[in-house]
């Protein structure tokens, strides 16, 4: 199962045709083994009907904060395309890649059209290597400083090796991905700033408009980046910066956006100071990573539980898995990451 899960069409080696159709096909195989061809033909006809129904049914447009634990993944899908903002989890063995592929399979997809990586921190990119290995990504969107970090350089190098498109953005860029319209509110452009910025403050801040409405996602932007990327609302969905951590000005920043719904990519409760700041904006509840949250095409938020490995279980496994999981392929033979393979060592 572990090997099969790394193949395309994960989490199972099956096309995304829906669980009813797959169940009927398996039943038909059983009828064939039982030497009952008529029942097998009838079951296969029913499977064909299930496949046709699954194909013709429209894919609902959703913006979904996937349950990750300690990390962030905002998944947007509609009939015309799919988009993922960040792809990481620091307390999943594979960085959350399998959970992302499972979400894709449930929505009838095998690949993500584009992934926007806000910055090169592990809890925002750790699923990307696993997704690249299973051909689950068509393109990456990063800013012009993403590969200045060793981990970012490793991701870019791996993406190029797998033939994945890479698009670099700067302030003010506007992109169209199927039904989604992206506007880059803030992105590092590579020129040295007057005051050195932390990696968090180099996060890409993106405004998105799609079938579900409008959303603003700031990655791990801190006070300096928020002050440079102020925008006005009203807006349908805002993901709190830096997982809802307390910082100066976050209440005023959210108040200007006047959001209908606020998500926090955080497994536990928000800090009391953040709650108090949001209360001044009339925001009383913030769904988080523990159960996941979704904004539907009708704009009605609801929570849907998704499986998540507890941190206490995942961290020891991740420690044991680390050196076994990440391998480089030199020209002769195989070898684990070493000090000479700085990008992969940093990724581990």
């Amino acid at each position: 199962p572990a090997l099969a899960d790394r193949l395309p069409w994960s989490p199972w080696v099956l096309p995304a045709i829906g669980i009813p159709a797959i169940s009927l096909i398996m039943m038909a195989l059983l009828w064939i083994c039982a030497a009952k061809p008529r029942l097998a033909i009838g079951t296969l006809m029913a499977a064909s009907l299930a496949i046709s129904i699954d194909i013709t049914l429209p894919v609902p447009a959703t913006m979904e904060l996937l349950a990750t634990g300690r990390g962030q993944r905002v998944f947007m899908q509609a009939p015309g395309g799919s988009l993922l903002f960040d792809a990481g989890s620091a307390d999943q063995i594979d960085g959350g890649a399998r959970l992302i592929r499972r979400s894709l399979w449930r929505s009838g997809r095998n690949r993500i059209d584009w992934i926007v990586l806000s910055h090169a921190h592990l809890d925002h990119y750790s699923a990307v290597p696993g997704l690249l290995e299973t051909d689950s990504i068509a393109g990456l969107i990063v800013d012009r400083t993403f590969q200045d970090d060793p981990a970012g350089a490793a991701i870019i190098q791996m993406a190029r090796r797998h033939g994945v498109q890479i698009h670099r953005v700067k302030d003010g860029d506007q992109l169209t991905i199927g039904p989604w319209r992206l506007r880059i509110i803030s992105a590092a452009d590579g020129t040295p700033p007057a005051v050195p910025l932390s990696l968090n403050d180099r996060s890409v801040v993106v405004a998105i408009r799609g079938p579900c409405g409008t959303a603003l996602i700031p990655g791990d932007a801190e006070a300096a980046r928020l002050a440079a990327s102020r925008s006005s609302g009203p807006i349908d969905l805002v993901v709190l910066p830096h997982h809802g951590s307390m910082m100066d000005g976050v209440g005023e920043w959210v108040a200007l956006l006047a959001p209908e719904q606020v998500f926090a990519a955080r497994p536990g409760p928000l800090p009391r100071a953040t709650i108090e700041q949001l209360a001044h904006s009339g925001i009383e509840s913030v769904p988080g990573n523990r159960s996941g949250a979704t904004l539907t095409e009708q704009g009605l938020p609801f929570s849907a539980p998704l499986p998540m490995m507890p941190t206490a279980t995942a961290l020891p496994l991740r420690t044991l898995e680390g050196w076994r999981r990440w391998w480089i392929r030199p020209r002769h033979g195989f070898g684990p990451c070493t000090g000479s393979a700085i990008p992969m060592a940093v990724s581990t």
Side-chain angles (χ1 to χ4, degrees), residues 27-151:
M27 190 179 300
L29 292 175
L30 290 175
W31 288 130
I32 292 173
C33 293
K36 296 184 181 294
R38 292 185 178 180
L39 290 174
I41 292 173
T43 307
L44 285 175
M45 292 177 64
S48 301
L49 178 61
I51 293 173
S52 63
I53 292 174
D54 188 75
I55 293 174
T56 54
L57 287 176
V59 177
T62 57
M63 295 181 185
E64 185 176 7
L65 177 65
L66 300 178
T68 61
R70 185 169 165 257
Q72 176 169 289
R73 301 193 313 249
V74 183
F75 180 42
M76 287 154 275
Q77 62 168 333
S82 59
L83 177 66
L84 186 68
F85 191 98
D86 281 334
S89 178
D91 52 9
Q92 298 286 335
I93 294 176
D94 61 350
R98 188 172 71 162
L99 293 179
I100 292 176
R101 294 197 302 270
R102 187 171 296 168
S103 298
L104 283 175
W105 194 90
R106 287 171 177 164
S107 64
R109 300 179 185 274
N110 293 324
R111 302 182 82 194
I112 301 166
D113 293 327
W114 290 91
I115 293 182
V116 181
L117 295 178
S118 61
H119 63 296
H121 269 164
L122 184 68
D123 57 337
H124 291 257
Y125 74 79
S126 58
V128 174
L131 295 174
L132 289 171
E133 291 291 339
T134 54
D135 194 29
S136 301
I137 304 174
L140 288 178
I141 297 175
V142 297
D143 68 10
R144 298 185 178 184
T145 66
F146 185 79
Q147 65 182 15
D148 293 347
D149 184 84

Side-chain angles (χ1 to χ4, degrees), residues 171 186-188 197 200-205 218 221-230 253:
D171 286 2
S186 181
L197 296 176
N200 283 338
D201 253 342
R202 283 157 45 193
S203 292
V204 177
V205 181
E222 296 178 343
R225 178 63 67 183
L226 293 180
S229 59
R230 287 182 176 269
W253 183 77

Side-chain angles (χ1 to χ4, degrees), residues 68-71 89-95 122-123 126 267 308-323 325 348:
T68 61
R70 185 169 165 257
S89 178
D91 52 9
Q92 298 286 335
I93 294 176
D94 61 350
L122 184 68
D123 57 337
S126 58
M308 184 185 75
M309 179 177 290
T311 303
T313 305
L315 288 179
L317 290 174
R318 188 173 179 83
T319 302
L320 294 173
E321 181 79 4
W323 287 105
R325 215 176 123 239
T348 302

